[in-house]
C-alpha cells in the first residue's frame, strides 16, 4: 500500500525540485548527476515510516547539500519530511535551518525544539540561527530581510546548492492580492517565483531558493504532517490581526470565496504564473532595448525613450535607477511614474528624489540619473 495521498503529493513536489537542482548541477559541471543512493532499511523500521524519513547509509561529504528552511509550522515540517525521504534516494545530502527571530517569548526554546524535530527526521547538518530584526519597511518586511540574510549566510557557510522554502499555493494567492493592493504593476502580481534569490548552483543571483509547494495547498501540507504524526507549531503571528497578511488570510480571502465561490486561491495562483511569464518577457525586451536608447556616452536619450512602449520604457527607467544605487526593495511604481513624467510630461520640472539618495533630472534632451 502506498503512502497517503497528501504525503505522496508533497514528496512528488520535492522530488521534482531536487531533480531540477541536479539538472542545474549537471549543466554546470557537464557531468552526469550523482547516482541514486541505495535505500537501506533498518531492522524494526520500514522505509517511509510515520517519521517521514527514509533510512539510508551516510552519504559522502562531497554529495550536494540541500537545506530546508523550517519554522516548525505545518508547511515547513511537511517540506522537511519530504526532503528527508527523497534526497538520499537521489544522492543528495539533506539538512535544515531554523531562524530564531527573537520576536516572541520563548523563541529560542521553540527553535531548539525545531532542531530536535529535524534531527529526528535524519536531516544533517541542522542548525538554529538567531537574528536581530530591524525596523526598515515595517515588521513583516524587516523579519523577512533578516531571515533571508541568515539563510544566505548559512547556505554559503555550509556549501548548500539550494534552500527549499515551504510557501504553498495559498501563500501565493495572498502575495498576489497584496501586490494588487499596492498597485505595483504586473511584476507584483507575479507573486513568488519557484526559483529565486541567492547565488545557487549556477553562480547567478537567481537560483538558490526553491519553492516546491507553490502548486500544493496548505491543507495538503497540514494533512501530510498529521498522517505522519509530525508535531507542528502554529505561529501566533499568523492569526494576529496586527499583520496585513494575517488579516488577508483570515478575513480577506474567506470574504472573496464567500462572494465569488470556491476556486479563488487556484485562480490567483494561475494569475501569478501568467503574470510572471508576461513580466519576464517584458523584462527581457527592456534589457535588449536599453542599449538602443543611450548615446555614445551612455546617457539615456529622452526622445528614444519616448518612442518605446510604456511598459518597456518604465522597465528601462527602473533598471537605470537601480543601477544608480536605489534599493530595488524600496523602489515603488509611484517613483518610476514620476521619473517617466520627465519623458512623457516634460514641463521644465526639477529633479525627482528617489530612494537611496538617487535623483533623476532631465538635462538637454538627456535623462541624468545619479546618486546625490
Amino acid at each position: 500500500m502506498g503512502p497517503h495521498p497528501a504525503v505522496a503529493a508533497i514528496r512528488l513536489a520535492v522530488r521534482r525540485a531536487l531533480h531540477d537542482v541536479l539538472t542545474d548541477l549537471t549543466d554546470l559541471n557537464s557531468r552526469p548527476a550523482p547516482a541514486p543512493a541505495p535505500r537501506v532499511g533498518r531492522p524494526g523500521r520500514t522505509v517511509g515510516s510515520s517519521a517521514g524519513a527514509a533510512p539510508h547509509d551516510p552519504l559522502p561529504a562531497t554529495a550536494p547539500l540541500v537545506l530546508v528552511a523550517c519554522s516548525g509550522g505545518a508547511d515547513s515540517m511537511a517540506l522537511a519530511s519530504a526532503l528527508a525521504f527523497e534526497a538520499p534516494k537521489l544522492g543528495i545530502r539533506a539538512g535544515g535551518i531554523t531562524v530564531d527571530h527573537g520576536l516572541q517569548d520563548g523563541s529560542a526554546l521553540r527553535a531548539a525544539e525545531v532542531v530536535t524535530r529535524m534531527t529526528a527526521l535524519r536531516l544533517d547538518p541542522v542548525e538554529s540561527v538567531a537574528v536581530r530584526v530591524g525596523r526598515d519597511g515595517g515588521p513583516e518586511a524587516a523579519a523577512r530581510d533578516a531571515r533571508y540574510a541568515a539563510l544566505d549566510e548559512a547556505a554559503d557557510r555550509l556549501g548548500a546548492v539550494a534552500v527549499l522554502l515551504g510557501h504553498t499555493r495559498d501563500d501565493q494567492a495572498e502575495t498576489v492580492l497584496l501586490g494588487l493592493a499596492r498597485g505595483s504593476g504586473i511584476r507584483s502580481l507575479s507573486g513568488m517565483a519557484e526559483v529565486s534569490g541567492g547565488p545557487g548552483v549556477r553562480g547567478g543571483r537567481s537560483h538558490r531558493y526553491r519553492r516546491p509547494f507553490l502548486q500544493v495547498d496548505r491543507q495538503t501540507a497540514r494533512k501530510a504532517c498529521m498522517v505522519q504524526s509530525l508535531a507542528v507549531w502554529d505561529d501566533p503571528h499568523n492569526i494576529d490581526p496586527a499583520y496585513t497578511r494575517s488579516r488577508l488570510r483570515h478575513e480577506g480571502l474567506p470574504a472573496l470565496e464567500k462572494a465569488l465561490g470556491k476556486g479563488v486561491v487556484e485562480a490567483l495562483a494561475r494569475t501569478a504564473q501568467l503574470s510572471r511569464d508576461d513580466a519576464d518577457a517584458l523584462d527581457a525586451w527592456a534589457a535588449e532595448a536599453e542599449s538602443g536608447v543611450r548615446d555614445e556616452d551612455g546617457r539615456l536619450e529622452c526622445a528614444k525613450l519616448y518612442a518605446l512602449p510604456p511598459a518597456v520604457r518604465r522597465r528601462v527607467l527602473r533598471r537605470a535607477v537601480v543601477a544608480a544605487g536605489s534599493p530595488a526593495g524600496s523602489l515603488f511604481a509611484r517613483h518610476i511614474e514620476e521619473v517617466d513624467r520627465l519623458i512623457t510630461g516634460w514641463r521644465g520640472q526639477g529633479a525627482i528624489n528617489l530612494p537611496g539618495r538617487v535623483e533623476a533630472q532631465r538635462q538637454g534632451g538627456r535623462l541624468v540619473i545619479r546618486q546625490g
Side-chain angles (χ1 to χ4, degrees):
M1 182 177 178
H4 186 279
V7 176
I10 64 169
R11 289 178 180 174
L12 176 60
V14 168
R15 191 182 317 142
R16 287 171 172 168
L18 294 179
H19 275 295
D20 288 343
V21 171
L22 290 179
T23 298
D24 285 351
L25 282 171
T26 302
D27 291 345
L28 176 67
N29 299 322
S30 298
R31 55 181 170 80
R39 297 172 64 188
V40 181
R42 295 191 306 174
R45 182 174 182 183
T46 59
V47 174
S49 65
S50 62
H56 57 85
D57 287 336
L59 292 169
T62 54
L65 172 65
V66 172
L67 300 173
V68 57
C70 185
S71 67
D75 302 340
S76 60
M77 282 302 299
L79 182 59
S81 72
L83 175 64
F85 185 86
E86 295 292 340
K89 296 189 292 180
L90 296 172
I92 295 173
R93 292 184 296 134
I97 300 292
T98 188
V99 178
D100 175 13
H101 298 85
L103 297 177
Q104 302 171 29
D105 292 339
S107 63
L109 177 60
R110 280 189 291 272
E113 291 173 350
V114 175
V115 166
T116 299
R117 292 169 188 171
M118 289 193 290
T119 302
L121 289 172
R122 294 178 169 269
L123 297 177
D124 182 33
V126 170
E127 291 185 3
S128 171
V129 180
V131 298
R132 176 174 293 181
V133 177
R135 297 183 178 181
D136 292 345
E140 292 168 279
R144 182 176 61 249
D145 291 345
R147 180 167 59 253
Y148 278 105
L151 293 174
D152 279 336
E153 186 279 330
D156 289 338
R157 174 167 44 81
L158 297 173
V161 297
V163 178
L164 304 190
L165 305 175
H167 298 119
T168 65
R169 186 170 63 189
D170 301 78
D171 296 311
Q172 184 74 299
E174 293 161 9
T175 302
V176 172
L177 285 176
L178 290 170
L180 182 62
R182 286 194 298 266
S184 300
I186 193 172
R187 175 57 71 186
S188 186
L189 296 181
S190 301
M192 296 173 284
E194 290 187 2
V195 181
S196 68
V201 297
R202 290 183 180 174
R205 289 299 301 173
S206 60
H207 293 87
R208 166 166 287 166
Y209 294 107
R210 314 273 171 150
R211 297 177 175 86
F213 287 177
L214 287 185
Q215 300 303 319
V216 176
D217 64 83
R218 190 174 288 143
Q219 281 301 112
T220 296
R222 184 168 289 275
K223 184 69 173 179
C225 289
M226 185 181 71
V227 299
Q228 295 179 102
S229 300
L230 294 174
V232 300
W233 172 65
D234 291 316
D235 187 346
H237 283 171
N238 290 335
I239 58 173
D240 188 344
Y243 294 93
T244 304
R245 186 178 287 269
S246 175
R247 294 195 302 274
L248 179 60
R249 179 175 301 177
H250 298 288
E251 300 174 22
L253 270 173
L256 281 176
E257 290 195 333
K258 182 177 180 180
L260 303 176
K262 296 293 184 181
V264 170
V265 168
E266 293 87 342
L268 288 169
R270 285 195 302 273
T271 296
Q273 185 57 59
L274 293 171
S275 297
R276 181 165 297 280
D277 292 342
D278 291 349
D280 287 346
L282 288 168
D283 286 347
W285 186 355
E288 184 177 342
E290 185 172 357
S291 61
V293 296
R294 293 185 181 273
D295 62 18
E296 59 276 9
D297 297 321
R299 296 176 299 177
L300 292 166
E301 298 187 64
C302 295
K304 292 181 178 179
L305 283 167
Y306 186 85
L308 291 175
V312 177
R313 181 177 62 246
R314 286 192 290 268
R315 280 168 168 76
V316 171
L317 295 176
R318 179 181 174 83
R319 287 168 58 90
V321 171
V322 171
S326 189
S330 302
L331 199 59
F332 301 127
R334 66 178 184 274
H335 295 128
I336 302 305
E337 288 168 2
E338 287 296 319
V339 178
D340 194 39
R341 274 192 276 273
L342 295 176
I343 308 299
T344 62
W346 174 242
R347 299 183 304 278
Q349 58 264 47
I352 305 297
N353 294 318
L354 300 164
R357 297 184 296 105
V358 172
E359 65 175 25
Q361 187 172 17
R362 180 164 174 157
Q363 296 177 348
R366 302 293 190 271
L367 186 66
V368 180
I369 303 174
R370 61 193 172 200
Q371 225 164 12

